[in-house]
Amino acid sequence: MRMLVIGGAGFMGSNFVRYMLSRYRDIEVLVYDKLTYAGRLENLHDVSNDPRFSFVRADVCNEEMLQKVVEKFQPDVVVNFAAETHVDRSINEPAPFLKTNVFGVFTLLEVARKKDIELLVHISTDEVYGDLREGGSATEDWPFRPSSPYSASKAAGDLFCQAYWRTYRIPVRIVRPCNNYGPYQHPEKLIPKTIIRALHNMPIPLYGGGQQVRDWLYVEDFAEALDTVIRRGSNGEAYNIPGFNEKKNIEVVEAVLRILGKSTSLIKVVEDRPGHDYRYSMKGDKILSLGWKPKTPWLDGLRKTIDWYVSNEWWWRPLLSDDYFKKDVPWR
Ligand SMILES: NC(=O)c1ccc[n+]([C@@H]2O[C@H](COP(=O)([O-])OP(=O)(O)OC[C@H]3O[C@@H](n4cnc5c(N)ncnc54)[C@H](O)[C@@H]3O)[C@@H](O)[C@H]2O)c1
């Protein structure tokens, strides 16, 4: 199988590439990534010498380049992870989110249309459904009610995929994951940030008391779910990928501190983020019916993640800006 992975140098993409190369012998993977602040070749350091792996640095919005790469590589499947992903950054500066998450997806769909791509799998998010404060869990046909510029841009990309299936029969499948956690996640996100600050005995800023509920899935389990959609999913369908593991943010932070043997007095409540969604929750009947379910228990996954950050300071240290420990910069 020849697989083109766009945005494959980020957190989830690099874990997916690692998973696929270790699971299948007969596979070739080409990662196509712009290497923004969130994408790094260090995320792929252990596969970079594998003869089945190659890399090209380019922008998903560059149609000409994307066409050339598709013509030359002739992928059997294209997977799109490329996105601006940090909600707080989207609130401060929404424009790059529109560019990559909407125009980038449109560009890719146009290339799929012109070059007859055999299968395109687009990574959307549970955030397209918005806040499920009132209870219940979203099915794939739940209305979209995105709250932040990030989730609005992801919803637009998702809708473009749906429109291109309906109008042009572009063979696209949409995957909507919940919050992923695991190795190689940027230190701006909740779990890595908590680990790194706790290791330095620094205060851990927590939005509005940490009452928000998120569903957490170990990133390797997500890779297996995505592989399942590629092998057994149907074109034109969307698949929720829940972790069946809803936790309040405060519970997540406390669990990290407990494992690290640190005091909860490090937690510092800060003013809530504007428009902060209270709860995300999805049903997973469609992906369960394809034979997938999460394998990694929450505390096992969290311990593995913490061990990885403790042992891999070389990876995260260069990502810390000078004011990393000063600012109460929050997270997704
Ligand atoms: N991490 C989560 O918990 C989560 C949950 C739900 C959905 N998602 C979605 O999954 C996907 C991957 O998320 P992640 O956490 O791995 O993100 P990430 O920020 O770690 O990685 C994004 C990758 O996309 C690349 N990229 C950004 N703009 C690009 C462009 N214009 N052209 C080419 N490459 C570009 C970056 O260099 C980086 O390698 C995203 O689409 C995100 O919206 C993530």
Side-chain angles (χ1 to χ4, degrees):
M1 186 198 287
R2 300 170 70 76
M3 187 175 280
L4 175 61
V5 184
I6 304 178
F11 161 52
M12 287 166 66
S14 62
N15 277 288
F16 175 67
V17 167
R18 185 171 294 105
Y19 173 87
M20 293 302 281
L21 286 170
S22 71
R23 169 136 197 205
Y24 298 101
R25 195 189 291 231
D26 188 18
I27 190 169
E28 275 180 58
V29 176
L30 171 58
V31 168
Y32 179 112
D33 197 296
K34 186 179 174 184
L35 298 183
T36 65
Y37 80 95
R40 295 165 83 204
L41 288 178
E42 283 86 339
N43 295 1
L44 294 159
H45 65 104
D46 51 340
V47 297
S48 58
N49 289 325
D50 190 316
R52 300 169 302 162
F53 171 85
S54 50
F55 175 81
V56 55
R57 183 174 193 176
D59 193 325
V60 68
C61 302
N62 182 342
E63 183 173 340
E64 206 185 315
M65 183 63 162
L66 206 45
Q67 285 205 22
K68 264 194 211 148
V69 168
V70 167
E71 266 166 29
K72 192 154 173 243
F73 185 64
Q74 295 285 315
D76 301 304
V77 49
V78 179
V79 184
N80 182 36
F81 287 91
E84 288 293 335
T85 61
H86 194 42
V87 175
D88 289 316
R89 287 178 189 260
S90 83
I91 293 170
N92 292 333
E93 200 194 346
F97 287 73
L98 255 89
K99 213 166 170 208
T100 296
N101 303 1
V102 186
F103 190 70
V105 178
F106 161 75
T107 306
L108 183 53
L109 288 163
E110 278 295 287
V111 172
R113 188 162 77 88
K114 292 171 188 164
K115 296 286 161 199
D116 290 330
I117 284 176
E118 285 177 36
L119 175 61
L120 171 61
V121 183
H122 174 66
I123 315 299
S124 181
T125 171
D126 60 355
E127 297 198 28
V128 295
Y129 302 121
D131 195 345
L132 275 82
R133 185 180 293 264
E134 309 302 336
S137 299
T139 48
E140 285 81 355
D141 54 1
W142 203 265
F144 281 13
R145 291 178 55 214
S147 310
S148 66
Y150 164 72
S151 50
S153 69
K154 291 295 290 184
D158 189 316
L159 288 169
F160 264 100
C161 290
Q162 295 179 42
Y164 269 60
W165 162 251
R166 177 99 189 229
T167 309
Y168 306 108
R169 282 294 186 254
I170 298 300
V172 61
R173 300 176 193 173
I174 299 165
V175 167
R176 300 190 187 127
C178 64
N179 270 26
N180 274 228
Y181 70 102
Y184 300 99
Q185 188 170 30
H186 197 281
E188 70 188 0
K189 303 285 168 59
L190 175 62
I191 289 179
K193 185 169 195 118
T194 303
I195 298 169
I196 293 169
R197 288 184 75 107
L199 287 173
H200 291 82
N201 296 311
M202 297 291 295
I204 297 164
L206 193 55
Y207 272 136
Q211 293 306 302
Q212 302 81 7
V213 176
R214 300 290 181 264
D215 183 15
W216 293 93
L217 176 66
Y218 193 61
V219 68
E220 219 173 271
D221 287 344
F222 172 75
E224 197 174 54
L226 177 53
D227 182 29
T228 305
V229 169
I230 292 169
R231 284 184 295 118
R232 295 194 216 125
S234 303
N235 294 346
E237 295 289 326
Y239 296 89
N240 289 344
I241 316 290
F244 307 104
N245 179 44
E246 290 182 27
K247 302 266 171 241
K248 289 184 177 175
N249 285 348
I250 181 94
E251 293 175 307
V252 173
V253 170
E254 283 176 354
V256 172
L257 293 175
R258 209 174 308 118
I259 293 170
L260 283 170
K262 300 284 180 179
S263 165
T264 51
S265 63
L266 289 178
I267 297 171
K268 181 180 164 213
V269 173
V270 296
E271 196 184 326
D272 211 353
R273 161 206 283 163
H276 203 171
D277 286 333
Y278 171 68
R279 174 172 170 263
Y280 300 134
S281 181
M282 296 184 293
K283 281 203 185 341
D285 297 6
K286 280 176 80 174
I287 185 68
L288 291 176
S289 76
L290 297 184
W292 173 86
K293 60 178 193 308
K295 284 188 181 143
T296 313
W298 162 239
L299 287 179
D300 290 1
L302 196 56
R303 274 194 205 96
K304 274 203 264 186
T305 306
I306 292 173
D307 286 349
W308 187 85
Y309 279 90
V310 168
S311 315
N312 288 282
E313 184 171 344
W314 71 270
W315 182 87
W316 52 260
R317 176 68 60 183
L319 294 175
L320 306 187
S321 58
D322 293 342
D323 55 2
Y324 187 80
F325 295 112
K326 285 186 220 136
K327 277 202 276 183
D328 288 337
V329 201
W331 37 65
R332 203 172 173 261

